[in-house]
Amino acid sequence: MLNWDHIFATRSSRMRASEIRELLKLLDRPDIISFAGGIPDPALFPDEEFKAAYADIFGGEQGKAALQYSVSEGYKPLREWLQCEMAKIGVPCSADNIFITSGSQQALDYLGKLFLSPRDTALVNWPTYLGALQAFNAYEPNYDQLTLGNRTPESYRTAAEKLGGAVKFAYLSADFANPTGETVDRAGRERLLKLAEELDIAIIEDAAYQSLRYDGEPVPPILALEIAEKGSIEETRTIYCGSFSKTLAPGLRVGFVVAATPVIRKLVLMKQAADLHSSSINQIAIAHVAERHFDAQVAKIRKAYSARRNAMLAALERYMPAGTVWTRPEGGMFIWVTLPEGIDGAELLARSVETEKVAFVPGQAFFADRSGANTLRLSFSCANEQMIDEGIKRLGRLVGGVGAMAAA
Amino acid sequence: MLNWDHIFATRSSRMRASEIRELLKLLDRPDIISFAGGIPDPALFPDEEFKAAYADIFGGEQGKAALQYSVSEGYKPLREWLQCEMAKIGVPCSADNIFITSGSQQALDYLGKLFLSPRDTALVNWPTYLGALQAFNAYEPNYDQLTLGNRTPESYRTAAEKLGGAVKFAYLSADFANPTGETVDRAGRERLLKLAEELDIAIIEDAAYQSLRYDGEPVPPILALEIAEKGSIEETRTIYCGSFSKTLAPGLRVGFVVAATPVIRKLVLMKQAADLHSSSINQIAIAHVAERHFDAQVAKIRKAYSARRNAMLAALERYMPAGTVWTRPEGGMFIWVTLPEGIDGAELLARSVETEKVAFVPGQAFFADRSGANTLRLSFSCANEQMIDEGIKRLGRLVGGVGAMAAA
């Protein structure tokens, strides 16, 4: 067989299979209670609504356009619908500030491509969304830990220069983040805006879970706070990435970016060169369902996921041994568990699958510096309340046993 | 407004709007006869078949899966259908040698990303597909002219090294290429394989138009010739990029790559990081229509486009002044015209739109070195035979007049 390694570009060495992902593929078995997934529950998909959307498309005048090439910036009526939605959450903008992507994962890839030269630095949380690290890795950056409050702008700048590049952006999910479930409060968002201003960098606000709030007061998006301060989206440095994957359905691959037009214009050119445009028919179908059913659909899934979150928090309280702590998310799909020091999440998973038939994601993969061995991510989106109680009971038993052994 | 330029990566400076594309946007007017497009005729889309496909998906057990996340390598039944199709054209392989992309444009972007470090060299034809240059540009390569016969491997290698990188691949569309309509004969394909072997580079075979042959004998795909020589796809260096955009419909954004597994494995990881997977529902719909209607659909469009090609060749013969030459493609969508020296394609377009109401694409954009000012690309895919005759008549009149002025 050919030796491809010297033909591949240097960046390809950072494209590696995730061990965890490979392992979890094997765990898609009916006898396992899985808190690993992090995907929406298909039972909640608005499939009747999508069925009607596709039938309408082919029944009407849009059938041909749905099958034809379309513009790189995205389907205008969908961008106009998003414009109205953004206005409701404090982001007044025009349809020209909105760009349709093939899921918000594509937005992260494109933003990495737009900003990162090799050796530039991206600021990310420790832990952060694994998919963001994977998307950015292709552009060969370094990572530094985004912490709000205890570091000077100068310390970020110096660290980046030492590594041969510049700080280009801070990436974060401000609401019910994957993997922690945590939300950055208003003061934290304002500190981030100040930091970005001082460093003269972009902010990538990943809003994939923002619609999934179950209680507590909504915090304005970072982009909304910046517009309020500066008067116009054209003056802002925050790039807002949204998705229909968690609200309507991921299988159509439709997401979006909202930002100042110089950024949108570059993204449109990039998309023209990279895949021409997102699926015409799916953009029309998403617009069709969003216009008619978005609020009802979001209300439906909020109710279901909220009950599951409650069940998981109650079960953790009931079954987890002392020394284990976890987050109490106000939305999203995830709870983040920190085990007593010395317990390794990956080892725990191996035992858990063998003896307790419970799966989750060890937390280490979410850390750019590979710390966090004693953490794990639990998703409550795809399990019913009985399964959640049973699964956490088993997991608590295992953690208790392993903890006792570690202490002995 | 923010100064974004120093925050953007260096590669972004090569992402520029195509003047021609911007101009042509303005020409989408009913009073213009357009040979510019290069897109399939929507009147030929199998829309009833797609309507049935989407209805079946939601009527059966696939409704939920169609809306859910799916695997990065692509929908298995579609890959298996492609496996059978590839065997028919001399490419025996397994489904694991096949990777589904969001259109073949995405394959070009991913292959640029996989192979090109900044300053590496890509070998391309002068002229070549503009979209390939745009896709590769993001990875900051140099280009050298792929000519089969009159240059030594050493001369390519030396030129690339002088520019600070290495030759990584040769890209070409071997059948009815966009923009020339020309086909590389078997001897040419064998010379290319030999060159690639000597340079130890990959070959990217863009087969977007390969199914659209109207007459003449099919030439085996480069990948088929290489497998015949080496015994197995695993030993090959040719990466075959196919598409459903020209045969079924472009709006679903479904294309594919066929190659040795080390390449496929990297592409799958790249896709996982870049957009997770291509639309689940569209892959199922394409498989549904391809399994039932592919051959009939291809026969239908071949018949229609063949008649239009004949009409355009006849009209060129009838109306073009002496000194103008053009290709005689055996398939595809394009005829390539070379005007007498001194006539500029871009200037001709401006006049043509003003006085004759006929549009086409000036050829210069297709040259990596911006030569070819006296060339133009005509597409016959979207005009009926009367319009073709009328449009070429007007164009011939204009070229004759401009030529006479130039000679005077």
Side-chain angles (χ1 to χ4, degrees), chain A residues 6 9 11 67 113-114 200 251, chain B residues 6 11 67 113-114 200 251:
Chain A
H6 63 286
R11 73 175 68 80
L67 297 177
K113 196 173 182 177
L114 179 57
D200 192 12
Chain B
H6 63 285
R11 72 176 68 82
L67 297 177
K113 195 173 183 178
L114 179 58
D200 192 12

Side-chain angles (χ1 to χ4, degrees), chain A residues 1-2 4, chain B residues 94 96-97 227 232-236 259-262:
Chain A
M1 201 184 280
L2 225 63
W4 286 94
Chain B
S94 92
D96 292 336
N97 294 110
I227 291 173
S232 156
I233 192 169
E234 295 306 335
E235 304 298 323
T236 62
T261 48

Side-chain angles (χ1 to χ4, degrees), chain A residues 226-275:
Chain A
E226 193 178 9
I227 292 174
E229 183 193 328
K230 296 185 176 164
S232 155
I233 191 169
E234 295 306 334
E235 305 298 324
T236 62
R237 56 177 74 248
T238 302
I239 300 164
Y240 178 101
C241 304
S243 173
F244 290 99
S245 293
K246 308 303 187 286
T247 49
L248 298 185
L252 284 72
R253 309 306 303 128
V254 180
F256 56 97
V257 173
V258 186
T261 48
V263 172
I264 297 295
R265 254 185 250 124
K266 282 286 185 189
L267 292 174
V268 170
L269 289 172
M270 192 180 287
K271 190 160 179 71
Q272 200 175 86
D275 68 4

Side-chain angles (χ1 to χ4, degrees), chain A residues 91-207:
Chain A
V91 178
C93 65
S94 93
D96 293 335
N97 294 110
I98 299 172
F99 166 63
I100 305 296
T101 59
S102 298
S104 70
Q105 186 69 26
Q106 185 172 68
L108 301 181
D109 175 50
Y110 282 15
L111 292 168
K113 196 173 182 177
L114 179 57
F115 289 112
L116 297 170
S117 289
R119 293 178 299 281
D120 278 343
T121 288
L123 306 184
V124 297
N125 292 122
W126 267 210
T128 192
Y129 169 50
L130 173 60
L133 298 177
Q134 291 178 325
F136 302 152
N137 276 347
Y139 307 104
E140 303 175 88
N142 297 299
Y143 296 104
D144 200 351
Q145 185 180 8
L146 175 64
T147 56
L148 296 171
N150 54 0
R151 273 183 66 181
T152 64
E154 202 45 42
S155 79
Y156 288 110
R157 196 179 286 125
T158 313
E161 281 168 9
K162 208 179 273 181
L163 294 167
V167 185
K168 288 303 186 70
F169 59 73
Y171 163 81
L172 82 168
S173 176
D175 301 87
F176 333 120
N178 178 357
T180 65
E182 288 178 322
T183 296
V184 180
D185 64 13
R186 187 177 177 131
R189 294 174 195 220
E190 282 165 353
R191 282 201 301 280
L192 175 62
L193 280 165
K194 188 151 173 286
L195 175 68
E197 202 69 33
E198 289 173 337
L199 285 172
D200 192 12
I201 62 173
I203 295 171
I204 300 178
E205 177 176 23
D206 183 340

